[in-house]
């Protein structure tokens, strides 16, 4: 029996509700398996930790989770702490510390979800957005001088390296190659940004030669927003810089029906360090503590976590349970226009997993 050790970091706001729900789903799944089990360790890092200790996570925090097989993360964000502290002090510290350079965001319109694009059939929108997650606009390079004076100046430098662009392009082409349509769109802005984005385009062309069976095209980031809405079926795998993909993937999540559904993985494709899986929504303090958070984004993140561990059958079981639940409007939470609670949705998914295993055994 294989044991996977999982770090859970609920973080702030509804993260504290959806991460325990995700853990429950993994536990329900493990009960049905004779080949693997999970061992969980919970870390109380985030806004409350910051109030007590002045930091979002301890200085040696990365060492505490370095040897885990994966991390299930909730959200970082607190109305009383500046966003750049909550983000850089926890989530980005882990992403950068573990060189999780590929951020992967699948988007689909799940069964039963009323998505806003009325002309779009559910099968027209089936994308995976690959976001460069280690450099670019969020590299942290820059500075601020003469604060408060009229001559105050500030820079955020978008830093791109050949090694960084090559590895994300290779990852994106490989992912596109593994999907049925073998189709990749490279998002760019090389008309206006004439240094780093030109290198980005050149490297895309260079890496494309390694994947002759992948059809690919280039699209300016501004034009891609219109294409996502007007011709969603022309897209499949999409690769973009840190900032561009950050924005496009929120648009994608909205087009698929709700922020509460969308998952993401911060992945170290080389498996040198644990990868981290999380719903894309934030801490949502407006609904925190009320039991109203939609846990589906976390459950889909659990699917990605299982795929990363190589447990593909288990991942399929969880995805199928999720889709059976979203297909039932009685199990829709408030963000989907329903009245269901986090607990009800979680119980329904767990029961489906148990029932599925019993059917298989019979
Ligand atoms: P942060 O500042 O941490 O990014 P936020 O509250 O500004 O968080 P989000 O949490 O990403 O932003 O989402 C915006 C709104 O969408 C929330 O205020 C909430 O009403 C709704 N929402 C987001 N996620 C969920 C969810 N899982 N279930 C239900 N509603 C959600």
């Amino acid at each position: 029996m294989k044991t996977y050790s999982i770090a859970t970091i609920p973080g702030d706001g509804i993260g504290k509700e959806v991460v325990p729900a995700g853990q429950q789903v993994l536990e329900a799944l493990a009960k049905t398996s004779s080949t693997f089990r999970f061992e969980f360790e919970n870390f109380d890092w985030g806004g409350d930790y910051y109030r007590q200790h002045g930091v979002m996570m301890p200085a040696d925090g990365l060492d505490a989770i370095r040897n885990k097989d994966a991390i299930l993360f909730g959200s970082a964000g607190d109305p009383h702490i500046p966003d750049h502290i909550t983000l850089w002090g926890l989530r980005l510290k882990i992403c950068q510390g573990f060189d999780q350079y590929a951020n992967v965001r699948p988007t689909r319109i799940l069964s039963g979800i009323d998505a806003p694009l009325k002309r779009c059939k559910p099968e027209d929108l089936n994308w995976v957005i690959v976001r460069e997650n280690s450099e670019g606009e969020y590299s942290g390079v820059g500075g601020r001088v003469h604060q408060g004076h009229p001559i105050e100046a500030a820079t955020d430098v978008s830093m791109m390296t050949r090694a960084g662009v090559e590895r994300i392009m290779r990852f994106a082409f490989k992912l596109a190659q593994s999907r049925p349509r073998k189709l990749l769109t490279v998002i760019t802005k090389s008309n206006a940004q004439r240094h780093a984005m030109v290198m980005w385009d050149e490297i895309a062309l260079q890496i494309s030669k390694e994947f002759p069976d992948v059809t690919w095209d280039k699209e300016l980031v501004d034009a891609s927003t219109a294409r996502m809405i007007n011709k969603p079926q022309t897209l499949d795998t999409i690769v973009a810089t840190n900032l561009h993909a950050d924005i496009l993937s929120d648009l994608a999540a909205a087009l698929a029906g709700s922020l509460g559904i969308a998952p993401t993985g911060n992945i170290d494709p080389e498996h040198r360090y644990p990868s981290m899986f999380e719903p894309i929504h934030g801490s949502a303090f407006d609904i925190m503590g009320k039991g109203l958070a939609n846990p589906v984004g976390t459950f889909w993140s659990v699917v990605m976590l299982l795929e990363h561990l190589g447990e593909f059958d288990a991942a399929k079981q969880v995805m199928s349970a999720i889709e059976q639940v979203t297909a039932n409007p009685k199990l829709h939470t408030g963000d989907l226009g329903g009245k269901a609670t986090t607990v009800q949705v979680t119980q329904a998914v767990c029961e489906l997993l148990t029932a599925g295993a019993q059917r298989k055994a019979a």
Side-chain angles (χ1 to χ4, degrees), residues 14 18 75-78 83 250 258-261 279-287 292-297 333-335:
I14 60 169
V18 292
S75 64
D78 188 299
D83 283 346
D250 263 30
S258 169
L259 258 185
I261 292 177
I280 81 160
H281 63 74
S283 43
F285 268 77
D286 54 329
I287 54 164
L292 302 176
N294 187 348
V296 167
T333 43
D335 54 312

mmCIF file of all heavy atoms in Angstrom, residues 14 18 75-78 83 250 258-261 279-287 292-297 333-335, ligand 1:
data_model
loop_
_atom_site.group_PDB
_atom_site.id
_atom_site.type_symbol
_atom_site.label_atom_id
_atom_site.label_comp_id
_atom_site.label_asym_id
_atom_site.label_seq_id
_atom_site.Cartn_x
_atom_site.Cartn_y
_atom_site.Cartn_z
ATOM 1 N N ILE A 14 -12.360 31.610 2.950
ATOM 2 C CA ILE A 14 -13.031 30.325 2.673
ATOM 3 C C ILE A 14 -12.046 29.182 2.410
ATOM 4 O O ILE A 14 -12.448 28.032 2.337
ATOM 5 C CB ILE A 14 -14.048 30.432 1.504
ATOM 6 C CG1 ILE A 14 -13.370 30.873 0.202
ATOM 7 C CG2 ILE A 14 -15.213 31.341 1.871
ATOM 8 C CD1 ILE A 14 -14.263 30.737 -1.027
ATOM 9 N N VAL A 18 -12.862 25.174 2.343
ATOM 10 C CA VAL A 18 -12.782 24.290 1.166
ATOM 11 C C VAL A 18 -11.625 23.291 1.248
ATOM 12 O O VAL A 18 -11.736 22.183 0.700
ATOM 13 C CB VAL A 18 -12.725 25.106 -0.170
ATOM 14 C CG1 VAL A 18 -14.042 25.810 -0.412
ATOM 15 C CG2 VAL A 18 -11.563 26.063 -0.229
ATOM 16 N N SER A 75 -6.422 29.606 0.081
ATOM 17 C CA SER A 75 -6.267 30.940 -0.500
ATOM 18 C C SER A 75 -5.499 31.809 0.484
ATOM 19 O O SER A 75 -5.464 31.524 1.681
ATOM 20 C CB SER A 75 -7.632 31.560 -0.771
ATOM 21 O OG SER A 75 -8.302 31.734 0.455
ATOM 22 N N ALA A 76 -4.874 32.858 -0.054
ATOM 23 C CA ALA A 76 -4.169 33.805 0.808
ATOM 24 C C ALA A 76 -4.720 35.181 0.503
ATOM 25 O O ALA A 76 -4.755 35.596 -0.647
ATOM 26 C CB ALA A 76 -2.666 33.748 0.547
ATOM 27 N N GLY A 77 -5.187 35.871 1.503
ATOM 28 C CA GLY A 77 -5.768 37.202 1.307
ATOM 29 C C GLY A 77 -6.503 37.571 2.573
ATOM 30 O O GLY A 77 -7.186 36.733 3.164
ATOM 31 N N ASP A 78 -6.314 38.809 3.031
ATOM 32 C CA ASP A 78 -6.906 39.224 4.296
ATOM 33 C C ASP A 78 -7.204 40.719 4.182
ATOM 34 O O ASP A 78 -6.329 41.492 3.794
ATOM 35 C CB ASP A 78 -5.882 38.956 5.417
ATOM 36 C CG ASP A 78 -6.460 39.178 6.788
ATOM 37 O OD1 ASP A 78 -6.885 40.321 7.092
ATOM 38 O OD2 ASP A 78 -6.507 38.212 7.567
ATOM 39 N N ASP A 83 -2.304 43.196 0.171
ATOM 40 C CA ASP A 83 -2.303 42.033 -0.723
ATOM 41 C C ASP A 83 -0.892 41.576 -1.103
ATOM 42 O O ASP A 83 -0.645 40.382 -1.252
ATOM 43 C CB ASP A 83 -3.060 42.358 -2.022
ATOM 44 C CG ASP A 83 -4.560 42.313 -1.799
ATOM 45 O OD1 ASP A 83 -4.989 41.791 -0.754
ATOM 46 O OD2 ASP A 83 -5.296 42.816 -2.675
ATOM 47 N N ASP A 250 -8.774 34.171 -15.414
ATOM 48 C CA ASP A 250 -9.967 34.603 -14.681
ATOM 49 C C ASP A 250 -11.138 34.784 -15.640
ATOM 50 O O ASP A 250 -12.278 34.446 -15.333
ATOM 51 C CB ASP A 250 -9.701 35.919 -13.928
ATOM 52 C CG ASP A 250 -9.334 35.666 -12.472
ATOM 53 O OD1 ASP A 250 -8.745 34.599 -12.207
ATOM 54 O OD2 ASP A 250 -9.638 36.515 -11.617
ATOM 55 N N SER A 258 -18.292 29.939 -13.144
ATOM 56 C CA SER A 258 -18.068 30.522 -11.819
ATOM 57 C C SER A 258 -16.611 30.385 -11.401
ATOM 58 O O SER A 258 -15.959 29.399 -11.704
ATOM 59 C CB SER A 258 -18.928 29.821 -10.773
ATOM 60 O OG SER A 258 -18.525 30.203 -9.471
ATOM 61 N N LEU A 259 -16.178 31.412 -10.659
ATOM 62 C CA LEU A 259 -14.847 31.361 -10.049
ATOM 63 C C LEU A 259 -14.743 30.199 -9.058
ATOM 64 O O LEU A 259 -13.666 29.670 -8.818
ATOM 65 C CB LEU A 259 -14.647 32.639 -9.230
ATOM 66 C CG LEU A 259 -13.812 33.779 -9.741
ATOM 67 C CD1 LEU A 259 -13.701 34.853 -8.672
ATOM 68 C CD2 LEU A 259 -12.425 33.286 -10.121
ATOM 69 N N GLY A 260 -15.887 29.829 -8.504
ATOM 70 C CA GLY A 260 -15.899 28.803 -7.458
ATOM 71 C C GLY A 260 -15.608 27.393 -7.960
ATOM 72 O O GLY A 260 -15.408 26.473 -7.181
ATOM 73 N N ILE A 261 -15.574 27.233 -9.276
ATOM 74 C CA ILE A 261 -15.391 25.897 -9.857
ATOM 75 C C ILE A 261 -13.962 25.645 -10.322
ATOM 76 O O ILE A 261 -13.499 24.519 -10.381
ATOM 77 C CB ILE A 261 -16.334 25.756 -11.085
ATOM 78 C CG1 ILE A 261 -17.777 25.722 -10.613
ATOM 79 C CG2 ILE A 261 -16.020 24.525 -11.911
ATOM 80 C CD1 ILE A 261 -18.766 25.669 -11.761
ATOM 81 N N PRO A 279 -7.823 25.965 -5.559
ATOM 82 C CA PRO A 279 -8.870 26.602 -6.365
ATOM 83 C C PRO A 279 -8.379 27.978 -6.783
ATOM 84 O O PRO A 279 -7.561 28.575 -6.077
ATOM 85 C CB PRO A 279 -10.040 26.721 -5.383
ATOM 86 C CG PRO A 279 -9.406 26.734 -4.021
ATOM 87 C CD PRO A 279 -8.172 25.889 -4.133
ATOM 88 N N ILE A 280 -8.873 28.511 -7.909
ATOM 89 C CA ILE A 280 -8.327 29.814 -8.320
ATOM 90 C C ILE A 280 -8.972 30.983 -7.582
ATOM 91 O O ILE A 280 -8.460 32.085 -7.608
ATOM 92 C CB ILE A 280 -8.365 30.050 -9.859
ATOM 93 C CG1 ILE A 280 -9.726 30.510 -10.340
ATOM 94 C CG2 ILE A 280 -7.889 28.881 -10.652
ATOM 95 C CD1 ILE A 280 -9.602 31.180 -11.709
ATOM 96 N N HIS A 281 -10.113 30.728 -6.930
ATOM 97 C CA HIS A 281 -10.742 31.850 -6.221
ATOM 98 C C HIS A 281 -9.897 32.288 -5.032
ATOM 99 O O HIS A 281 -8.997 31.571 -4.597
ATOM 100 C CB HIS A 281 -12.161 31.470 -5.772
ATOM 101 C CG HIS A 281 -12.209 30.333 -4.783
ATOM 102 N ND1 HIS A 281 -11.837 30.470 -3.467
ATOM 103 C CD2 HIS A 281 -12.582 29.037 -4.929
ATOM 104 C CE1 HIS A 281 -11.998 29.312 -2.838
ATOM 105 N NE2 HIS A 281 -12.434 28.420 -3.719
ATOM 106 N N GLY A 282 -10.232 33.479 -4.529
ATOM 107 C CA GLY A 282 -9.490 34.013 -3.394
ATOM 108 C C GLY A 282 -10.174 33.672 -2.083
ATOM 109 O O GLY A 282 -10.908 32.675 -1.991
ATOM 110 N N SER A 283 -9.954 34.537 -1.076
ATOM 111 C CA SER A 283 -10.409 34.211 0.268
ATOM 112 C C SER A 283 -11.893 34.506 0.475
ATOM 113 O O SER A 283 -12.481 34.017 1.433
ATOM 114 C CB SER A 283 -9.552 34.967 1.274
ATOM 115 O OG SER A 283 -9.362 36.286 0.827
ATOM 116 N N ALA A 284 -12.503 35.321 -0.412
ATOM 117 C CA ALA A 284 -13.962 35.585 -0.383
ATOM 118 C C ALA A 284 -14.483 35.841 1.029
ATOM 119 O O ALA A 284 -15.362 35.116 1.524
ATOM 120 C CB ALA A 284 -14.720 34.439 -1.061
ATOM 121 N N PHE A 285 -13.967 36.872 1.665
ATOM 122 C CA PHE A 285 -14.340 37.161 3.050
ATOM 123 C C PHE A 285 -15.830 37.455 3.214
ATOM 124 O O PHE A 285 -16.377 37.309 4.294
ATOM 125 C CB PHE A 285 -13.484 38.320 3.596
ATOM 126 C CG PHE A 285 -12.249 37.830 4.291
ATOM 127 C CD1 PHE A 285 -11.154 37.377 3.560
ATOM 128 C CD2 PHE A 285 -12.176 37.773 5.681
ATOM 129 C CE1 PHE A 285 -10.023 36.888 4.197
ATOM 130 C CE2 PHE A 285 -11.055 37.284 6.321
ATOM 131 C CZ PHE A 285 -9.978 36.845 5.584
ATOM 132 N N ASP A 286 -16.490 37.861 2.105
ATOM 133 C CA ASP A 286 -17.927 38.171 2.199
ATOM 134 C C ASP A 286 -18.769 36.955 2.567
ATOM 135 O O ASP A 286 -19.835 37.087 3.153
ATOM 136 C CB ASP A 286 -18.432 38.814 0.882
ATOM 137 C CG ASP A 286 -18.112 37.961 -0.354
ATOM 138 O OD1 ASP A 286 -17.086 37.250 -0.351
ATOM 139 O OD2 ASP A 286 -18.897 38.020 -1.316
ATOM 140 N N ILE A 287 -18.288 35.755 2.224
ATOM 141 C CA ILE A 287 -19.103 34.567 2.546
ATOM 142 C C ILE A 287 -18.399 33.650 3.550
ATOM 143 O O ILE A 287 -18.904 32.584 3.883
ATOM 144 C CB ILE A 287 -19.460 33.748 1.278
ATOM 145 C CG1 ILE A 287 -18.200 33.380 0.485
ATOM 146 C CG2 ILE A 287 -20.444 34.490 0.390
ATOM 147 C CD1 ILE A 287 -18.449 32.266 -0.526
ATOM 148 N N LEU A 292 -21.064 28.548 2.923
ATOM 149 C CA LEU A 292 -21.663 28.734 1.592
ATOM 150 C C LEU A 292 -20.668 28.567 0.446
ATOM 151 O O LEU A 292 -21.059 28.603 -0.727
ATOM 152 C CB LEU A 292 -22.267 30.157 1.494
ATOM 153 C CG LEU A 292 -23.336 30.496 2.532
ATOM 154 C CD1 LEU A 292 -23.778 31.958 2.397
ATOM 155 C CD2 LEU A 292 -24.536 29.564 2.370
ATOM 156 N N ALA A 293 -19.382 28.399 0.780
ATOM 157 C CA ALA A 293 -18.356 28.349 -0.277
ATOM 158 C C ALA A 293 -18.545 27.126 -1.168
ATOM 159 O O ALA A 293 -18.827 26.022 -0.683
ATOM 160 C CB ALA A 293 -16.973 28.307 0.363
ATOM 161 N N ASN A 294 -18.381 27.349 -2.443
ATOM 162 C CA ASN A 294 -18.438 26.238 -3.387
ATOM 163 C C ASN A 294 -17.108 25.464 -3.314
ATOM 164 O O ASN A 294 -16.056 26.018 -3.625
ATOM 165 C CB ASN A 294 -18.647 26.796 -4.802
ATOM 166 C CG ASN A 294 -18.898 25.711 -5.818
ATOM 167 O OD1 ASN A 294 -18.698 24.537 -5.524
ATOM 168 N ND2 ASN A 294 -19.336 26.092 -7.003
ATOM 169 N N PRO A 295 -17.132 24.200 -2.930
ATOM 170 C CA PRO A 295 -15.872 23.462 -2.802
ATOM 171 C C PRO A 295 -15.417 22.810 -4.108
ATOM 172 O O PRO A 295 -14.388 22.137 -4.141
ATOM 173 C CB PRO A 295 -16.219 22.391 -1.761
ATOM 174 C CG PRO A 295 -17.673 22.117 -1.985
ATOM 175 C CD PRO A 295 -18.306 23.392 -2.500
ATOM 176 N N VAL A 296 -16.193 23.006 -5.206
ATOM 177 C CA VAL A 296 -15.895 22.275 -6.454
ATOM 178 C C VAL A 296 -14.514 22.646 -7.015
ATOM 179 O O VAL A 296 -13.783 21.783 -7.512
ATOM 180 C CB VAL A 296 -17.025 22.469 -7.497
ATOM 181 C CG1 VAL A 296 -16.585 22.000 -8.878
ATOM 182 C CG2 VAL A 296 -18.272 21.713 -7.063
ATOM 183 N N GLY A 297 -14.124 23.927 -6.920
ATOM 184 C CA GLY A 297 -12.791 24.334 -7.395
ATOM 185 C C GLY A 297 -11.697 23.552 -6.673
ATOM 186 O O GLY A 297 -10.683 23.162 -7.272
ATOM 187 N N THR A 333 -24.234 25.661 -5.165
ATOM 188 C CA THR A 333 -24.051 26.666 -4.119
ATOM 189 C C THR A 333 -24.491 28.041 -4.650
ATOM 190 O O THR A 333 -24.805 28.182 -5.842
ATOM 191 C CB THR A 333 -22.569 26.715 -3.684
ATOM 192 O OG1 THR A 333 -21.762 26.643 -4.866
ATOM 193 C CG2 THR A 333 -22.213 25.581 -2.749
ATOM 194 N N GLY A 334 -24.438 29.038 -3.799
ATOM 195 C CA GLY A 334 -24.960 30.378 -4.125
ATOM 196 C C GLY A 334 -24.328 30.999 -5.359
ATOM 197 O O GLY A 334 -25.003 31.672 -6.142
ATOM 198 N N ASP A 335 -23.030 30.779 -5.558
ATOM 199 C CA ASP A 335 -22.351 31.374 -6.727
ATOM 200 C C ASP A 335 -22.929 30.825 -8.026
ATOM 201 O O ASP A 335 -22.798 31.445 -9.080
ATOM 202 C CB ASP A 335 -20.834 31.097 -6.664
ATOM 203 C CG ASP A 335 -20.533 29.613 -6.522
ATOM 204 O OD1 ASP A 335 -21.154 28.950 -5.668
ATOM 205 O OD2 ASP A 335 -19.692 29.109 -7.280
HETATM 206 P P1 LIG B 1 -8.751 37.700 -2.632
HETATM 207 O O1 LIG B 1 -8.606 39.130 -2.201
HETATM 208 O O2 LIG B 1 -8.230 36.729 -1.630
HETATM 209 O O3 LIG B 1 -8.301 37.417 -4.036
HETATM 210 P P2 LIG B 1 -11.561 38.173 -3.169
HETATM 211 O O4 LIG B 1 -12.617 37.961 -2.102
HETATM 212 O O5 LIG B 1 -11.234 39.542 -3.555
HETATM 213 O O6 LIG B 1 -10.323 37.363 -2.649
HETATM 214 P P3 LIG B 1 -12.431 36.012 -4.794
HETATM 215 O O7 LIG B 1 -12.535 35.222 -3.537
HETATM 216 O O8 LIG B 1 -11.540 35.436 -5.824
HETATM 217 O O9 LIG B 1 -11.964 37.458 -4.525
HETATM 218 O O10 LIG B 1 -13.861 36.083 -5.442
HETATM 219 C C1 LIG B 1 -14.723 37.187 -5.601
HETATM 220 C C2 LIG B 1 -16.135 36.847 -5.146
HETATM 221 O O11 LIG B 1 -16.630 35.676 -5.807
HETATM 222 C C3 LIG B 1 -16.171 36.505 -3.672
HETATM 223 O O12 LIG B 1 -16.298 37.682 -2.907
HETATM 224 C C4 LIG B 1 -17.346 35.565 -3.548
HETATM 225 O O13 LIG B 1 -18.544 36.268 -3.367
HETATM 226 C C5 LIG B 1 -17.361 34.842 -4.893
HETATM 227 N N1 LIG B 1 -16.678 33.534 -4.763
HETATM 228 C C6 LIG B 1 -15.383 33.252 -5.018
HETATM 229 N N2 LIG B 1 -15.094 31.968 -4.784
HETATM 230 C C7 LIG B 1 -16.249 31.402 -4.362
HETATM 231 C C8 LIG B 1 -16.607 30.083 -3.943
HETATM 232 N N3 LIG B 1 -15.712 29.077 -3.909
HETATM 233 N N4 LIG B 1 -17.879 29.862 -3.574
HETATM 234 C C9 LIG B 1 -18.783 30.839 -3.623
HETATM 235 N N5 LIG B 1 -18.526 32.108 -3.995
HETATM 236 C C10 LIG B 1 -17.261 32.398 -4.364
#
